[in-house]
Amino acid sequence: MEKSRYPAVFLDRDGVLTIERKRISMPDEVELYEGVAEAVRDIHRMGYFVIVTTNQSGIARGLFSEEEIRQLHDRLKAETGVDEIYYCPHHIDGKIEKYRINCNCRKPKIGMIEQAMSDFPIDINHSWMVGDRETDIQFGKNAGIRTVLVRTGYGEETLKKNIDYDDIVDDIWDFVRLIRKNDNEQSIEGTRKEI
């Protein structure tokens, strides 16, 4: 018998969940947008996994370590309730040799989504990508899922470019309203339960 699959909301980290700052590497440097944990809870109640995907080239550049990022992400998971956080530590111009590669996980390539799909029973056809940068939108497009640009973080700056997103929202709470409206208008096969 096939395992039930549920859609996912893929969220960028900085500029969507956390206030955009350069070179965040320590847990005490993270500042969440107001109400993020409640927004994640609401998305879960609607039957979605909530998964964070983030490029962290500062690891490849020698600015911080993977251990520091893991500690930061452990705190984020505890405070927000997201199901998982995937990160890409690579950059082709990095200083640290083992991370200086042309990988498949750096957005807009879809390696992090592929990893999430191997770890969770995800219905990719009804999933979403929410981000504040052009690379986030292209990442979602490359995976074939609906894309949402948020105006928080670099969103306003990104708007100056010609970006082909599906929807635009002010913040994560505005996204919660959008997804709720979409779910009310569109019936997805099967009954979703809280994850």
Side-chain angles (χ1 to χ4, degrees), residues 101-155:
I101 62 169
N102 187 8
C103 63
N104 187 43
C105 58
R106 184 170 174 76
K107 291 189 279 189
K109 294 180 182 174
I110 63 168
M112 286 187 279
I113 286 180
E114 291 171 339
Q115 184 62 54
M117 288 180 67
S118 75
D119 294 342
F120 294 90
I122 292 172
D123 169 8
I124 197 67
N125 295 320
H126 296 101
S127 295
W128 303 67
M129 176 61 209
V130 183
D132 67 321
R133 292 179 182 238
E134 184 175 8
T135 51
D136 299 319
I137 300 305
Q138 192 57 54
F139 175 64
K141 294 285 182 192
N142 290 345
I145 61 178
R146 191 162 170 181
T147 57
V148 180
L149 180 71
V150 289
R151 289 189 173 100
T152 48
Y154 287 104

Side-chain angles (χ1 to χ4, degrees), residues 24-175:
I24 294 176
S25 63
M26 301 304 290
D28 61 359
E29 296 172 334
V30 173
E31 187 177 353
L32 295 172
Y33 284 111
E34 188 175 341
V36 160
E38 291 83 358
V40 169
R41 201 172 305 124
D42 275 10
I43 296 168
H44 275 146
R45 284 188 188 121
M46 287 184 273
Y48 292 81
F49 292 112
V50 182
I51 295 171
V52 176
T53 56
T54 178
N55 286 343
Q56 293 298 317
S57 66
I59 296 168
R61 297 175 196 278
L63 302 174
F64 40 82
S65 70
E66 279 202 80
E67 182 54 35
E68 288 170 321
I69 286 296
R70 285 192 198 104
Q71 288 175 15
L72 186 154
H73 287 169
D74 286 346
R75 177 184 165 191
L76 264 183
K77 283 168 69 175
E79 290 188 8
T80 64
V82 300
D83 295 295
E84 190 55 87
I85 302 175
Y86 295 96
Y87 64 93
C88 171
H90 308 113
H91 197 283
I92 198 67
D93 298 323
K95 291 181 182 175
I96 311 296
E97 186 175 351
K98 75 174 187 173
Y99 301 117
R100 194 187 316 127
I101 62 169
N102 187 8
C103 63
N104 187 43
C105 58
R106 184 170 174 76
K107 291 189 279 189
K109 294 180 182 174
I110 63 168
M112 286 187 279
I113 286 180
E114 291 171 339
Q115 184 62 54
M117 288 180 67
S118 75
D119 294 342
F120 294 90
I122 292 172
D123 169 8
I124 197 67
N125 295 320
H126 296 101
S127 295
W128 303 67
M129 176 61 209
V130 183
D132 67 321
R133 292 179 182 238
E134 184 175 8
T135 51
D136 299 319
I137 300 305
Q138 192 57 54
F139 175 64
K141 294 285 182 192
N142 290 345
I145 61 178
R146 191 162 170 181
T147 57
V148 180
L149 180 71
V150 289
R151 289 189 173 100
T152 48
Y154 287 104
E156 289 293 343
E157 183 182 312
T158 304
L159 281 172
K160 296 172 188 169
K161 301 173 183 173
N162 185 22
I163 297 183
D164 183 27
Y165 50 82
D166 294 309
D167 295 283
I168 185 166
V169 295
D170 289 332
D171 53 27
I172 194 166
W173 273 110
D174 205 14
F175 170 71

